[in-house]
């Protein structure tokens, strides 16, 4: 099952007042997510991602730098190059046109990965708890 | 026997003594008259023996009874294989040792031919023909002529070679030559004998071009290993192929026989070939009819019907399918074993196909019935249409295999028209969508849609939207009619697929758009012919 990685609702970058200054897919000296090339139905040649694999680093005008992680295991199919030319859509439409990357997990792992994710409701509960505990 | 001449005498003598049947003997004497082979076995045997007798006054009485060792003259020349020959001959039938050929003839136990292993003997007789016809008739096929095909065990080629070498050697002594091509082929002679008998009993002629095939597979397990020596002599002819059980296929054996040198052959294989204990067995008698093709156009009125069965892990996700609804009745009418459904493109489960419908073709495999009049086809069409309100078929007709190509060309090249019901997030007024009508030949870049990306390669497709026509409904809805190039993803053109299809209706309107309903209005292929 195809997975689309996007910024979560509560991500700092999506909060008011943040301006994105740069988005960088070069996550290390040897690895640029932009150089990912896949071929064929089975997406051979794709960079393999683990949960903590960085996808990109985003800098904001207030000097902060955020690393966006894959969060799931799988083959990297593509990263969204549109946000490089138009960073605004990342904040305006984070769940659609502003997506970060597309990942294809292994068929066998598909079910367990889905089970490890939060539903919309569960996520909102987490946010509530966070809010309550900090106040 | 008028077909034989003096020069044939030593051959006939030799082959008869070494265990070869009359018809094979005729073959090696290059007798080309079909009718001779059709004479009854007993008559042929008698004729050959009479032929030999006619010149025996001067010579010693030659033993016709093949249980006795071959005569002196021949044995002296057959240096290598004489002893083997005797042994094998000796272990066969319990034919009493007589010199009286009459008694030998009356003896119904016939020795299995060492060259054809019984093909031109037992398997040319009426009993076998009856057996084949019984099988054909019980299989209940509709046919006006037939092809009879026979599969012979590979070792027959080896034995044929051995017999040829033997005969060649003998003729060499007379200063005569015998080319391999002059000998009548076993399969050919067999068909000369059996075709008329099959034709008569089935009541239809044999015709090489016809699609109805009666096939018999013969085997002779007793001698299967006779080919094995070829593998050591010509190893490169016998490469093990994964899907074949035995490496010693007929083709491989023939190739090896062409390569092997005479001396090497004679080193490994008895010449003359030894007489077998048993006849061949007819392993299978099968009937097969060439496939017929039925074409037409279908309409799909359900938004809950897949084109092909949707089954995941053995579980059916949605009931039925377009192909099943159509082919069910065709399979029954044509009494076929199976079918292959193909169409000029497809639509999603939730998309209707309206207008003239989408061209399709069904290959019916091994049908028992093949002749249908135009009236009967119309009747079939009606039956299908009456059986379900989810689909309708039209222009149902029989077509040739070649016609399928035209349908497939439509899939890639021809245009399609659609009608899409579109929703927008921000309100729209009539004026906001009118501009769409003026856009012609709009170029799209579509990355492989996310919804199919798991089973398709990632790529970018350039497609053209030829024309559009909008129909305002309300502030958040309008209908869009489009005419597009084949292979365009319409749903993605509407919602933009996360920005991966550019431009999209959404981007053109500067809103978020989504598709609520899609219908195929026409598939612009002019095949199959409208009835």
């Amino acid at each position: 099952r195809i997975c689309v990685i996007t910024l979560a609702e509560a991500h700092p970058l999506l909060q008011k007042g943040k301006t994105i200054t740069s988005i960088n897919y070069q996550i290390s000296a040897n690895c640029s997510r932009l150089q990912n090339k896949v071929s064929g139905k089975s997406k051979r040649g794709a960079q393999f991602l683990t949960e903590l694999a960085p996808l990109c680093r985003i800098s904001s005008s207030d000097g902060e730098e955020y690393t966006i992680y894959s969060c799931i295991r799988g083959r990297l199919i593509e990263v969204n190059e549109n946000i490089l030319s138009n960073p605004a859509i990342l904040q305006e439409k984070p769940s659609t046109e502003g997506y970060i990357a597309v990942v294809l997990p292994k068929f066998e792992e598909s079910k367990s990965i889905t089970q490890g994710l939060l539903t919309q409701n569960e996520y909102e509960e987490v946010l509530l708890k966070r809010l309550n505990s900090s106040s | 026997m008028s077909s034989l001449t003096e020069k044939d005498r030593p051959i006939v003598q030799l082959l008869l003594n070494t265990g070869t049947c009359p018809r094979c003997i005729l073959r090696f004497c290059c007798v080309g008259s079909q009718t001779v082979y059709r004479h009854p076995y007993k008559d042929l045997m008698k004729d050959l023996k009479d032929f030999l007798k006619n010149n025996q006054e001067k010579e010693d009485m030659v033993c016709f009874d093949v249980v006795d060792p071959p005569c002196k003259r021949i044995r002296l020349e057959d240096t290598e294989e004489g002893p083997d020959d005797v042994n094998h001959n000796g272990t066969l039938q319990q034919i009493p040792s007589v010199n009286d050929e009459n008694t030998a003839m009356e003896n119904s136990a016939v020795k299995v031919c060492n060259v054809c292993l019984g093909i031109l003997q037992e398997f040319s007789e009426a009993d076998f023909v009856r057996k084949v016809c019984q099988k054909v008739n019980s299989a209940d096929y509709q046919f006006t002529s037939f092809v009879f095909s026979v599969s012979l065990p590979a070792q027959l080629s080896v034995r044929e070679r051995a017999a040829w070498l033997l005969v060649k050697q003998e003729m060499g002594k007379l200063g005569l030559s015998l080319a391999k091509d002059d000998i009548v082929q076993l399969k050919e002679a067999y068909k000369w004998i059996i075709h008329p008998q099959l034709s008569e009993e089935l009541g239809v002629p044999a015709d090489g071009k016809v699609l109805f095939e009666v096939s018999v597979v013969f085997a002779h397990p007793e001698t299967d290993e006779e080919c094995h020596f070829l593998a050591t002599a010509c190893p490169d002819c016998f490469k093990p192929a994964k899907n074949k059980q035995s490496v010693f296929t007929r083709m491989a054996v023939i190739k090896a026989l062409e390569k092997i040198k005479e001396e090497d052959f004679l080193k490994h294989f008895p010449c003359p070939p030894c007489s077998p204990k048993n006849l061949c067995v007819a392993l299978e008698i099968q009937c097969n009819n060439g496939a017929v093709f039925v074409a037409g156009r279908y309409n799909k009125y359900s938004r809950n019907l897949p084109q092909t069965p949707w089954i995941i892990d053995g579980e059916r996700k949605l009931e039925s399918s377009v192909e099943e609804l159509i082919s069910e009745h065709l399979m029954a009418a044509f009494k076929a074993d199976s079918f292959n459904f193909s169409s000029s493109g497809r639509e999603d489960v939730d998309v209707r196909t309206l207008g003239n419908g989408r061209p399709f073709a069904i290959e019916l495999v091994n049908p028992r019935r093949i002749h249908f009049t135009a009236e009967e086809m119309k009747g079939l069409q009606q039956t299908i249409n009456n059986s379900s309100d989810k689909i309708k078929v039209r222009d149902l007709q029989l077509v040739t295999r070649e016609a399928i190509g035209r349908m497939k060309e439509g899939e890639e090249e021809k245009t399609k028209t659609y009608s899409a019901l579109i929703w927008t997030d921000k309100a729209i007024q009539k004026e906001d969508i009118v501009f769409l009508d003026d856009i012609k030949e709009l170029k799209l870049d579509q990355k492989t849609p996310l919804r199919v990306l798991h089973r398709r390669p990632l790529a970018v497709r350039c497609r053209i939207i030829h024309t559009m026509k909008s129909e305002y409904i309300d502030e958040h809805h309008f209908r869009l009619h489009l005419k597009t190039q084949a292979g365009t993803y319409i749903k993605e053109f509407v919602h933009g697929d996360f920005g991966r299809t550019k431009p999209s209706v959404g981007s053109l309107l500067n809103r978020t758009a989504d598709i609520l309903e899609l219908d195929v209005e026409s598939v612009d292929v002019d095949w199959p012919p409208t009835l």
Side-chain angles (χ1 to χ4, degrees), chain A residues 2 4 38 40-41 43 77-78 82 95-97 99 102, chain B residues 447 450 453-458 498-500 502 511-512:
Chain A
I2 285 281
V4 182
V38 298
K41 245 192 260 186
K43 322 297 187 285
I77 305 299
E78 68 180 35
N82 293 331
S95 304
T96 56
E97 276 147 63
Y99 72 96
V102 176
Chain B
K447 279 199 192 156
L450 290 178
L453 192 50
H454 61 285
R455 56 183 165 87
R456 292 271 174 79
L458 180 64
F498 292 66
R500 297 164 75 257
K502 291 192 263 203
R511 287 163 171 75
T512 301

PDB file of all heavy atoms in Angstrom, chain A residues 2 4 38 40-41 43 77-78 82 95-97 99 102, chain B residues 447 450 453-458 498-500 502 511-512:
ATOM      1  N   ILE A   2       0.509   2.136  -0.898  1.00  0.00           N
ATOM      2  CA  ILE A   2       1.269   3.376  -1.043  1.00  0.00           C
ATOM      3  C   ILE A   2       1.044   4.290   0.164  1.00  0.00           C
ATOM      4  O   ILE A   2      -0.077   4.441   0.651  1.00  0.00           O
ATOM      5  CB  ILE A   2       0.812   4.096  -2.327  1.00  0.00           C
ATOM      6  CG1 ILE A   2       1.389   3.377  -3.542  1.00  0.00           C
ATOM      7  CG2 ILE A   2       1.178   5.555  -2.324  1.00  0.00           C
ATOM      8  CD1 ILE A   2       2.827   3.698  -3.825  1.00  0.00           C
ATOM      9  N   VAL A   4       1.771   8.219   1.727  1.00  0.00           N
ATOM     10  CA  VAL A   4       2.197   9.582   1.435  1.00  0.00           C
ATOM     11  C   VAL A   4       2.580  10.230   2.760  1.00  0.00           C
ATOM     12  O   VAL A   4       1.799  10.222   3.713  1.00  0.00           O
ATOM     13  CB  VAL A   4       1.064  10.388   0.771  1.00  0.00           C
ATOM     14  CG1 VAL A   4       1.546  11.790   0.444  1.00  0.00           C
ATOM     15  CG2 VAL A   4       0.590   9.690  -0.487  1.00  0.00           C
ATOM     16  N   VAL A  38      13.726   5.214  -9.314  1.00  0.00           N
ATOM     17  CA  VAL A  38      13.131   3.878  -9.265  1.00  0.00           C
ATOM     18  C   VAL A  38      12.802   3.439 -10.676  1.00  0.00           C
ATOM     19  O   VAL A  38      12.519   4.255 -11.552  1.00  0.00           O
ATOM     20  CB  VAL A  38      11.835   3.849  -8.421  1.00  0.00           C
ATOM     21  CG1 VAL A  38      12.129   4.235  -7.005  1.00  0.00           C
ATOM     22  CG2 VAL A  38      10.772   4.722  -9.026  1.00  0.00           C
ATOM     23  N   GLY A  40      10.669   0.226 -12.963  1.00  0.00           N
ATOM     24  CA  GLY A  40       9.873  -0.992 -13.000  1.00  0.00           C
ATOM     25  C   GLY A  40       8.778  -1.024 -11.956  1.00  0.00           C
ATOM     26  O   GLY A  40       8.660  -0.164 -11.098  1.00  0.00           O
ATOM     27  N   LYS A  41       7.978  -2.065 -12.068  1.00  0.00           N
ATOM     28  CA  LYS A  41       6.857  -2.212 -11.160  1.00  0.00           C
ATOM     29  C   LYS A  41       7.318  -2.378  -9.730  1.00  0.00           C
ATOM     30  O   LYS A  41       6.691  -1.906  -8.794  1.00  0.00           O
ATOM     31  CB  LYS A  41       6.063  -3.465 -11.553  1.00  0.00           C
ATOM     32  CG  LYS A  41       4.664  -3.157 -12.034  1.00  0.00           C
ATOM     33  CD  LYS A  41       3.851  -4.410 -12.131  1.00  0.00           C
ATOM     34  CE  LYS A  41       3.773  -4.887 -13.552  1.00  0.00           C
ATOM     35  NZ  LYS A  41       2.865  -6.041 -13.669  1.00  0.00           N
ATOM     36  N   LYS A  43       9.844  -1.145  -8.350  1.00  0.00           N
ATOM     37  CA  LYS A  43      10.547   0.044  -7.849  1.00  0.00           C
ATOM     38  C   LYS A  43      11.981  -0.263  -7.442  1.00  0.00           C
ATOM     39  O   LYS A  43      12.437   0.087  -6.360  1.00  0.00           O
ATOM     40  CB  LYS A  43       9.791   0.689  -6.676  1.00  0.00           C
ATOM     41  CG  LYS A  43       8.272   0.667  -6.809  1.00  0.00           C
ATOM     42  CD  LYS A  43       7.788   1.478  -8.005  1.00  0.00           C
ATOM     43  CE  LYS A  43       6.287   1.630  -8.111  1.00  0.00           C
ATOM     44  NZ  LYS A  43       5.539   0.498  -8.546  1.00  0.00           N
ATOM     45  N   ILE A  77       9.719   6.227  -3.072  1.00  0.00           N
ATOM     46  CA  ILE A  77       9.300   6.274  -4.475  1.00  0.00           C
ATOM     47  C   ILE A  77       9.600   7.643  -5.067  1.00  0.00           C
ATOM     48  O   ILE A  77      10.199   7.751  -6.131  1.00  0.00           O
ATOM     49  CB  ILE A  77       7.787   5.980  -4.619  1.00  0.00           C
ATOM     50  CG1 ILE A  77       7.425   4.656  -3.970  1.00  0.00           C
ATOM     51  CG2 ILE A  77       7.397   6.008  -6.086  1.00  0.00           C
ATOM     52  CD1 ILE A  77       8.121   3.459  -4.575  1.00  0.00           C
ATOM     53  N   GLU A  78       9.166   8.685  -4.382  1.00  0.00           N
ATOM     54  CA  GLU A  78       9.473  10.019  -4.883  1.00  0.00           C
ATOM     55  C   GLU A  78       9.392  11.030  -3.746  1.00  0.00           C
ATOM     56  O   GLU A  78       8.741  10.801  -2.728  1.00  0.00           O
ATOM     57  CB  GLU A  78       8.499  10.418  -6.000  1.00  0.00           C
ATOM     58  CG  GLU A  78       7.086  10.629  -5.516  1.00  0.00           C
ATOM     59  CD  GLU A  78       6.110  11.025  -6.611  1.00  0.00           C
ATOM     60  OE1 GLU A  78       6.247  10.546  -7.755  1.00  0.00           O
ATOM     61  OE2 GLU A  78       5.201  11.806  -6.314  1.00  0.00           O
ATOM     62  N   ASN A  82       7.804  19.866  -6.021  1.00  0.00           N
ATOM     63  CA  ASN A  82       7.022  21.102  -6.144  1.00  0.00           C
ATOM     64  C   ASN A  82       7.251  22.036  -4.976  1.00  0.00           C
ATOM     65  O   ASN A  82       7.197  23.263  -5.126  1.00  0.00           O
ATOM     66  CB  ASN A  82       5.522  20.783  -6.238  1.00  0.00           C
ATOM     67  CG  ASN A  82       5.194  20.068  -7.532  1.00  0.00           C
ATOM     68  OD1 ASN A  82       5.867  20.269  -8.536  1.00  0.00           O
ATOM     69  ND2 ASN A  82       4.184  19.227  -7.485  1.00  0.00           N
ATOM     70  N   SER A  95      -1.548  18.582   3.441  1.00  0.00           N
ATOM     71  CA  SER A  95      -2.014  17.192   3.280  1.00  0.00           C
ATOM     72  C   SER A  95      -2.265  16.791   1.846  1.00  0.00           C
ATOM     73  O   SER A  95      -2.640  15.661   1.571  1.00  0.00           O
ATOM     74  CB  SER A  95      -3.316  16.980   4.055  1.00  0.00           C
ATOM     75  OG  SER A  95      -3.122  17.331   5.382  1.00  0.00           O
ATOM     76  N   THR A  96      -2.135  17.739   0.937  1.00  0.00           N
ATOM     77  CA  THR A  96      -2.336  17.344  -0.462  1.00  0.00           C
ATOM     78  C   THR A  96      -1.127  17.785  -1.285  1.00  0.00           C
ATOM     79  O   THR A  96      -0.100  17.120  -1.288  1.00  0.00           O
ATOM     80  CB  THR A  96      -3.649  17.916  -1.033  1.00  0.00           C
ATOM     81  OG1 THR A  96      -3.654  19.332  -0.875  1.00  0.00           O
ATOM     82  CG2 THR A  96      -4.846  17.309  -0.333  1.00  0.00           C
ATOM     83  N   GLU A  97      -1.230  18.904  -1.925  1.00  0.00           N
ATOM     84  CA  GLU A  97      -0.132  19.276  -2.817  1.00  0.00           C
ATOM     85  C   GLU A  97       1.183  19.524  -2.106  1.00  0.00           C
ATOM     86  O   GLU A  97       2.227  19.524  -2.736  1.00  0.00           O
ATOM     87  CB  GLU A  97      -0.506  20.530  -3.605  1.00  0.00           C
ATOM     88  CG  GLU A  97      -1.328  20.180  -4.829  1.00  0.00           C
ATOM     89  CD  GLU A  97      -2.316  21.266  -5.130  1.00  0.00           C
ATOM     90  OE1 GLU A  97      -1.863  22.385  -5.421  1.00  0.00           O
ATOM     91  OE2 GLU A  97      -3.530  20.982  -5.053  1.00  0.00           O
ATOM     92  N   TYR A  99       2.711  17.653   0.054  1.00  0.00           N
ATOM     93  CA  TYR A  99       3.232  16.415   0.673  1.00  0.00           C
ATOM     94  C   TYR A  99       4.753  16.403   0.585  1.00  0.00           C
ATOM     95  O   TYR A  99       5.341  17.129  -0.211  1.00  0.00           O
ATOM     96  CB  TYR A  99       2.622  15.176   0.010  1.00  0.00           C
ATOM     97  CG  TYR A  99       3.125  14.878  -1.396  1.00  0.00           C
ATOM     98  CD1 TYR A  99       4.153  13.960  -1.617  1.00  0.00           C
ATOM     99  CD2 TYR A  99       2.551  15.507  -2.504  1.00  0.00           C
ATOM    100  CE1 TYR A  99       4.596  13.678  -2.903  1.00  0.00           C
ATOM    101  CE2 TYR A  99       3.001  15.242  -3.790  1.00  0.00           C
ATOM    102  CZ  TYR A  99       4.018  14.321  -3.985  1.00  0.00           C
ATOM    103  OH  TYR A  99       4.465  14.063  -5.252  1.00  0.00           O
ATOM    104  N   VAL A 102       6.577  10.044  -1.093  1.00  0.00           N
ATOM    105  CA  VAL A 102       5.751   8.850  -1.282  1.00  0.00           C
ATOM    106  C   VAL A 102       6.619   7.637  -0.998  1.00  0.00           C
ATOM    107  O   VAL A 102       7.732   7.514  -1.531  1.00  0.00           O
ATOM    108  CB  VAL A 102       5.210   8.767  -2.730  1.00  0.00           C
ATOM    109  CG1 VAL A 102       4.435   7.472  -2.940  1.00  0.00           C
ATOM    110  CG2 VAL A 102       4.339   9.965  -3.026  1.00  0.00           C
TER     111      VAL A 102
ATOM    112  N   LYS B 447       1.842  12.160 -13.626  1.00  0.00           N
ATOM    113  CA  LYS B 447       2.686  11.120 -13.029  1.00  0.00           C
ATOM    114  C   LYS B 447       1.776   9.947 -12.734  1.00  0.00           C
ATOM    115  O   LYS B 447       0.573  10.109 -12.529  1.00  0.00           O
ATOM    116  CB  LYS B 447       3.288  11.640 -11.719  1.00  0.00           C
ATOM    117  CG  LYS B 447       4.499  12.505 -11.890  1.00  0.00           C
ATOM    118  CD  LYS B 447       5.282  12.570 -10.579  1.00  0.00           C
ATOM    119  CE  LYS B 447       6.331  13.657 -10.650  1.00  0.00           C
ATOM    120  NZ  LYS B 447       6.711  14.150  -9.331  1.00  0.00           N
ATOM    121  N   LEU B 450      -1.225   7.888  -7.689  1.00  0.00           N
ATOM    122  CA  LEU B 450      -0.911   7.191  -6.445  1.00  0.00           C
ATOM    123  C   LEU B 450      -1.760   5.943  -6.283  1.00  0.00           C
ATOM    124  O   LEU B 450      -1.302   4.932  -5.767  1.00  0.00           O
ATOM    125  CB  LEU B 450      -1.133   8.116  -5.247  1.00  0.00           C
ATOM    126  CG  LEU B 450      -0.140   9.265  -5.108  1.00  0.00           C
ATOM    127  CD1 LEU B 450      -0.497  10.136  -3.925  1.00  0.00           C
ATOM    128  CD2 LEU B 450       1.280   8.748  -4.958  1.00  0.00           C
ATOM    129  N   LEU B 453      -0.009   3.286  -8.174  1.00  0.00           N
ATOM    130  CA  LEU B 453       1.446   3.292  -8.107  1.00  0.00           C
ATOM    131  C   LEU B 453       2.035   2.009  -7.524  1.00  0.00           C
ATOM    132  O   LEU B 453       3.166   1.655  -7.824  1.00  0.00           O
ATOM    133  CB  LEU B 453       1.907   4.510  -7.297  1.00  0.00           C
ATOM    134  CG  LEU B 453       3.392   4.871  -7.334  1.00  0.00           C
ATOM    135  CD1 LEU B 453       3.913   4.946  -8.761  1.00  0.00           C
ATOM    136  CD2 LEU B 453       3.614   6.195  -6.629  1.00  0.00           C
ATOM    137  N   HIS B 454       1.248   1.292  -6.737  1.00  0.00           N
ATOM    138  CA  HIS B 454       1.804   0.082  -6.137  1.00  0.00           C
ATOM    139  C   HIS B 454       1.990  -1.026  -7.159  1.00  0.00           C
ATOM    140  O   HIS B 454       2.742  -1.955  -6.958  1.00  0.00           O
ATOM    141  CB  HIS B 454       0.921  -0.412  -4.980  1.00  0.00           C
ATOM    142  CG  HIS B 454      -0.472  -0.765  -5.418  1.00  0.00           C
ATOM    143  ND1 HIS B 454      -1.416   0.183  -5.725  1.00  0.00           N
ATOM    144  CD2 HIS B 454      -1.070  -1.955  -5.626  1.00  0.00           C
ATOM    145  CE1 HIS B 454      -2.546  -0.418  -6.093  1.00  0.00           C
ATOM    146  NE2 HIS B 454      -2.360  -1.716  -6.047  1.00  0.00           N
ATOM    147  N   ARG B 455       1.284  -0.926  -8.274  1.00  0.00           N
ATOM    148  CA  ARG B 455       1.410  -2.008  -9.261  1.00  0.00           C
ATOM    149  C   ARG B 455       1.822  -1.513 -10.646  1.00  0.00           C
ATOM    150  O   ARG B 455       1.764  -2.249 -11.623  1.00  0.00           O
ATOM    151  CB  ARG B 455       0.098  -2.788  -9.366  1.00  0.00           C
ATOM    152  CG  ARG B 455      -1.114  -1.945  -9.689  1.00  0.00           C
ATOM    153  CD  ARG B 455      -2.399  -2.784  -9.701  1.00  0.00           C
ATOM    154  NE  ARG B 455      -3.584  -1.944  -9.660  1.00  0.00           N
ATOM    155  CZ  ARG B 455      -4.188  -1.430 -10.727  1.00  0.00           C
ATOM    156  NH1 ARG B 455      -3.698  -1.687 -11.919  1.00  0.00           N
ATOM    157  NH2 ARG B 455      -5.243  -0.673 -10.604  1.00  0.00           N
ATOM    158  N   ARG B 456       2.209  -0.254 -10.746  1.00  0.00           N
ATOM    159  CA  ARG B 456       2.670   0.249 -12.035  1.00  0.00           C
ATOM    160  C   ARG B 456       3.999   0.960 -11.847  1.00  0.00           C
ATOM    161  O   ARG B 456       4.262   1.479 -10.767  1.00  0.00           O
ATOM    162  CB  ARG B 456       1.676   1.290 -12.582  1.00  0.00           C
ATOM    163  CG  ARG B 456       0.346   0.730 -12.974  1.00  0.00           C
ATOM    164  CD  ARG B 456       0.338   0.272 -14.413  1.00  0.00           C
ATOM    165  NE  ARG B 456      -0.921  -0.402 -14.705  1.00  0.00           N
ATOM    166  CZ  ARG B 456      -2.051   0.226 -14.961  1.00  0.00           C
ATOM    167  NH1 ARG B 456      -2.076   1.556 -14.985  1.00  0.00           N
ATOM    168  NH2 ARG B 456      -3.133  -0.461 -15.198  1.00  0.00           N
ATOM    169  N   PRO B 457       4.810   1.019 -12.865  1.00  0.00           N
ATOM    170  CA  PRO B 457       6.069   1.757 -12.723  1.00  0.00           C
ATOM    171  C   PRO B 457       5.805   3.256 -12.627  1.00  0.00           C
ATOM    172  O   PRO B 457       4.812   3.752 -13.157  1.00  0.00           O
ATOM    173  CB  PRO B 457       6.824   1.449 -14.022  1.00  0.00           C
ATOM    174  CG  PRO B 457       6.009   0.493 -14.785  1.00  0.00           C
ATOM    175  CD  PRO B 457       4.671   0.387 -14.180  1.00  0.00           C
ATOM    176  N   LEU B 458       6.722   3.941 -11.956  1.00  0.00           N
ATOM    177  CA  LEU B 458       6.616   5.389 -11.837  1.00  0.00           C
ATOM    178  C   LEU B 458       7.025   6.001 -13.169  1.00  0.00           C
ATOM    179  O   LEU B 458       8.078   5.699 -13.705  1.00  0.00           O
ATOM    180  CB  LEU B 458       7.549   5.875 -10.730  1.00  0.00           C
ATOM    181  CG  LEU B 458       7.579   7.386 -10.457  1.00  0.00           C
ATOM    182  CD1 LEU B 458       6.228   7.852  -9.957  1.00  0.00           C
ATOM    183  CD2 LEU B 458       8.659   7.694  -9.435  1.00  0.00           C
ATOM    184  N   PHE B 498      -2.615  15.165  -5.703  1.00  0.00           N
ATOM    185  CA  PHE B 498      -1.547  15.730  -4.872  1.00  0.00           C
ATOM    186  C   PHE B 498      -0.593  16.606  -5.694  1.00  0.00           C
ATOM    187  O   PHE B 498       0.578  16.737  -5.374  1.00  0.00           O
ATOM    188  CB  PHE B 498      -0.737  14.630  -4.178  1.00  0.00           C
ATOM    189  CG  PHE B 498      -1.495  13.883  -3.129  1.00  0.00           C
ATOM    190  CD1 PHE B 498      -2.573  13.081  -3.462  1.00  0.00           C
ATOM    191  CD2 PHE B 498      -1.145  13.994  -1.797  1.00  0.00           C
ATOM    192  CE1 PHE B 498      -3.288  12.391  -2.480  1.00  0.00           C
ATOM    193  CE2 PHE B 498      -1.855  13.305  -0.807  1.00  0.00           C
ATOM    194  CZ  PHE B 498      -2.923  12.507  -1.144  1.00  0.00           C
ATOM    195  N   GLY B 499      -1.108  17.176  -6.735  1.00  0.00           N
ATOM    196  CA  GLY B 499      -0.269  18.045  -7.555  1.00  0.00           C
ATOM    197  C   GLY B 499       0.582  17.284  -8.550  1.00  0.00           C
ATOM    198  O   GLY B 499       1.462  17.851  -9.198  1.00  0.00           O
ATOM    199  N   ARG B 500       0.322  15.987  -8.693  1.00  0.00           N
ATOM    200  CA  ARG B 500       1.160  15.199  -9.570  1.00  0.00           C
ATOM    201  C   ARG B 500       0.620  15.118 -10.992  1.00  0.00           C
ATOM    202  O   ARG B 500       1.276  14.572 -11.883  1.00  0.00           O
ATOM    203  CB  ARG B 500       1.356  13.812  -8.960  1.00  0.00           C
ATOM    204  CG  ARG B 500       2.086  13.908  -7.613  1.00  0.00           C
ATOM    205  CD  ARG B 500       2.007  12.669  -6.766  1.00  0.00           C
ATOM    206  NE  ARG B 500       2.880  11.626  -7.280  1.00  0.00           N
ATOM    207  CZ  ARG B 500       2.467  10.585  -7.969  1.00  0.00           C
ATOM    208  NH1 ARG B 500       1.190  10.400  -8.177  1.00  0.00           N
ATOM    209  NH2 ARG B 500       3.342   9.699  -8.415  1.00  0.00           N
ATOM    210  N   LYS B 502      -0.534  17.793 -13.764  1.00  0.00           N
ATOM    211  CA  LYS B 502      -0.576  19.236 -14.019  1.00  0.00           C
ATOM    212  C   LYS B 502      -0.838  19.489 -15.491  1.00  0.00           C
ATOM    213  O   LYS B 502      -0.196  18.847 -16.338  1.00  0.00           O
ATOM    214  CB  LYS B 502       0.773  19.862 -13.651  1.00  0.00           C
ATOM    215  CG  LYS B 502       1.041  19.853 -12.156  1.00  0.00           C
ATOM    216  CD  LYS B 502       2.224  20.724 -11.838  1.00  0.00           C
ATOM    217  CE  LYS B 502       3.465  19.839 -11.732  1.00  0.00           C
ATOM    218  NZ  LYS B 502       4.533  20.431 -10.941  1.00  0.00           N
ATOM    219  N   ARG B 511      -9.061  26.217  -7.376  1.00  0.00           N
ATOM    220  CA  ARG B 511      -9.827  25.748  -6.235  1.00  0.00           C
ATOM    221  C   ARG B 511      -9.429  24.302  -5.981  1.00  0.00           C
ATOM    222  O   ARG B 511      -8.690  23.701  -6.744  1.00  0.00           O
ATOM    223  CB  ARG B 511     -11.336  25.773  -6.553  1.00  0.00           C
ATOM    224  CG  ARG B 511     -11.935  27.154  -6.589  1.00  0.00           C
ATOM    225  CD  ARG B 511     -13.274  27.094  -7.298  1.00  0.00           C
ATOM    226  NE  ARG B 511     -14.023  28.343  -7.184  1.00  0.00           N
ATOM    227  CZ  ARG B 511     -13.763  29.470  -7.844  1.00  0.00           C
ATOM    228  NH1 ARG B 511     -12.732  29.517  -8.657  1.00  0.00           N
ATOM    229  NH2 ARG B 511     -14.509  30.540  -7.670  1.00  0.00           N
ATOM    230  N   THR B 512      -9.971  23.745  -4.908  1.00  0.00           N
ATOM    231  CA  THR B 512      -9.820  22.309  -4.712  1.00  0.00           C
ATOM    232  C   THR B 512     -11.025  21.652  -5.357  1.00  0.00           C
ATOM    233  O   THR B 512     -12.168  21.993  -5.052  1.00  0.00           O
ATOM    234  CB  THR B 512      -9.790  21.957  -3.204  1.00  0.00           C
ATOM    235  OG1 THR B 512      -8.707  22.645  -2.605  1.00  0.00           O
ATOM    236  CG2 THR B 512      -9.615  20.451  -3.027  1.00  0.00           C
TER     237      THR B 512
END
